[in-house]
Amino acid sequence: MERAGLYIHIPFCVRRCAYCDFVSYAGREDAMEAYVAALLSEMESVFWRFPALAVPTVYVGGGTPSSLPPGLIARVLGRARELFAIGPDAEITVEANPETASARKLTEYARAGVNRLSLGLQSASSRILEAIGRLHNAEDFERAASFAREAGIENIGADVMYGLPGQTTGDHARALAAAVDAGAKHVSAYALTLAEGTPLDAAVREGAVSLPNEDEQYAMYLAGDDFLEAHGLLRYEVSNYAAPGRECRHNLSYWRNEPYVGLGAAAHSCIDTGDGAIRTENVPGLDEYIARAGRGESPIMRSIRIGREESMFETMMLGLRLVDGVDTDAFCARYGAKAGEVFAGPVERLARSEMIRMEKGRLKPTGKGLDFHTLVALEFLGK
């Protein structure tokens, strides 16, 4: 493997959100220094396996990376630059929450080479933010975006959610307007997924909290789609919009089913071995990860080989999340088979139902296919 995106997981939060089921830990400031040391140890082990690895994108996600104290993010990125070929045009993203994105930290990030910031806005309503356990308000978001621009980070993305407790179409519109007004070049607009076992899931089940129904959520989505496109942020993936040239290159590599290396607790990797792919998953436990990686041992808890048929399915399923769809020539070069023949049944049925179309050598989803991508994926799963 000569080229792969690099994902670095920072599993710390000031407080876990009511809807969150990601691997993250609140109140573990005592472990931050040791965790970063373990990360660097795992990073070095990856270097010894892939000493000539070129890294076109780096994504520091979480958790809340900006919850780390000053100096630690720069240390991680500095070591990554020493070990891997990270070019001057690499996209380097850090996720941040507004309440922890101080001017000092954002200046540090910029000096460390960060050129893209992903800010978690979710909503501009203090009432809704409180209901989902967020610690910031709309003013904190605006301030963080301003700090980023002052530090020289112009490529700012915002995460916004709809389908939240007590949310109206107007509430969602105000959140999108706040993102655009703050200069966001990228907006991820996701519907709430109610994850089993989360506090919000329990509150909904108990009847203490009510969520917008499907029709109300769809109205939010439609209004949001119109608003973002009217402001020059074009849809390029099921839930993602960007100004031209500001698409998230790191996430595009996932949707194109390209290799990536994940570092940190619960991080996943998909390694190209030349004769297939190996997908690995690190241990999720914070203390176990620190102990294993800190001793120079592998933190991997699970490893599976991805067969050719599964890889072809994933390439189609993920690629059809993108407005640009799947390059059929690239598919044929990769697998030695034509996508239209391997998946003749699904392609014919989906084209007939106006969910996908062939255009200039690419299988592309229609607007209907993007809106109902789950149905598209199920067609390919059944072949």
Side-chain angles (χ1 to χ4, degrees):
M1 185 176 66
E2 298 178 351
R3 180 182 174 91
L6 180 64
Y7 174 79
I8 301 170
H9 190 65
I10 306 297
F12 299 103
C13 285
V14 177
R15 183 175 72 190
R16 282 176 63 86
C17 299
Y19 56 83
C20 180
D21 67 340
F22 291 112
V23 174
S24 63
Y25 299 87
R28 288 303 311 271
E29 292 80 7
D30 62 298
M32 289 178 173
E33 288 274 358
Y35 182 81
V36 167
L39 262 181
L40 299 184
S41 179
E42 186 188 9
M43 193 182 294
E44 289 171 4
S45 72
V46 170
F47 167 75
W48 289 114
R49 291 174 63 197
F50 306 106
L53 186 64
V55 174
T57 63
V58 180
Y59 195 104
V60 184
T64 308
S66 57
S67 66
L68 290 181
L72 295 186
I73 292 291
R75 188 190 305 175
V76 170
L77 292 176
R79 189 57 175 148
R81 286 187 179 278
E82 291 172 354
L83 295 173
F84 308 119
I86 301 176
D89 62 341
E91 176 193 85
I92 303 177
T93 303
V94 171
E95 289 183 345
N97 278 353
E99 73 276 6
T100 53
S102 67
R104 178 184 176 186
K105 289 180 183 178
L106 292 173
T107 299
E108 170 202 321
Y109 299 168
R111 289 174 178 168
V114 174
N115 51 29
R116 184 174 184 276
L117 186 72
S118 179
L119 279 172
L121 171 60
Q122 314 313 348
S123 175
S125 163
S126 296
R127 167 181 54 82
I128 294 173
L129 290 167
E130 183 177 355
I132 61 176
R134 302 289 288 184
L135 294 172
H136 70 272
N137 56 37
E139 290 73 25
D140 294 328
F141 171 81
E142 294 166 8
R143 189 179 304 113
S146 178
F147 288 156
R149 289 194 302 273
E150 290 171 5
I153 304 173
E154 295 290 337
N155 192 2
I156 299 170
D159 286 353
V160 177
M161 298 177 72
Y162 59 92
L164 298 172
Q167 189 180 37
T168 66
T169 301
D171 290 325
H172 183 51
R174 282 185 285 276
L176 296 175
V180 169
D181 291 346
K185 308 296 185 184
H186 186 286
V187 171
S188 298
Y190 293 101
L192 171 68
T193 298
L194 203 56
E196 187 176 353
T198 60
L200 184 56
D201 174 60
V204 171
R205 289 177 182 275
E206 293 166 3
V209 170
S210 61
L211 303 177
N213 61 38
E214 288 187 4
D215 289 342
E216 291 168 332
Q217 290 189 44
Y218 192 55
M220 291 180 201
Y221 151 69
L222 289 175
D225 185 80
D226 290 342
F227 176 86
L228 291 170
E229 298 216 357
H231 286 80
L233 274 68
L234 307 181
R235 190 184 194 187
Y236 72 98
E237 190 270 344
V238 169
S239 302
N240 286 274
Y241 301 76
R246 297 296 192 176
E247 299 84 359
C248 180
R249 287 164 49 197
H250 185 84
N251 286 344
L252 280 171
S253 71
Y254 294 148
W255 294 317
R256 291 169 179 160
N257 202 16
E258 297 171 348
Y260 55 91
V261 173
L263 303 174
H268 291 67
S269 299
C270 190
I271 308 298
D272 185 355
T273 64
D275 60 350
I278 301 293
R279 183 166 295 139
T280 63
E281 179 183 356
N282 282 356
V283 294
L286 178 61
D287 295 319
E288 184 180 3
Y289 173 80
I290 291 172
R292 290 173 63 165
R295 290 193 300 262
E297 300 174 4
S298 172
I300 294 172
M301 73 169 184
R302 185 176 295 112
S303 177
I304 60 171
R305 177 170 290 278
I306 306 300
R308 179 171 174 271
E309 285 201 8
E310 184 177 358
S311 181
M312 287 192 291
F313 160 70
E314 291 181 353
T315 295
M316 296 300 294
M317 178 191 69
L318 294 168
L320 287 171
R321 292 185 64 91
L322 296 169
V323 169
D324 279 349
V326 177
D327 183 327
T328 56
D329 288 340
F331 184 98
C332 189
R334 180 173 182 177
Y335 298 109
K338 295 181 179 180
E341 294 178 358
V342 175
F343 298 104
V347 168
E348 182 182 344
R349 290 190 295 272
L350 289 167
R352 193 165 54 242
S353 61
E354 299 183 339
M355 302 278 267
I356 64 173
R357 68 185 188 279
M358 177 66 80
E359 181 181 308
K360 297 179 180 179
R362 306 187 75 94
L363 274 173
K364 294 184 175 184
T366 62
K368 179 181 175 183
L370 288 171
D371 292 349
F372 300 99
H373 176 263
T374 300
L375 299 180
V376 173
L378 287 173
E379 280 284 358
F380 282 95
L381 186 62
K383 280 180 82 171

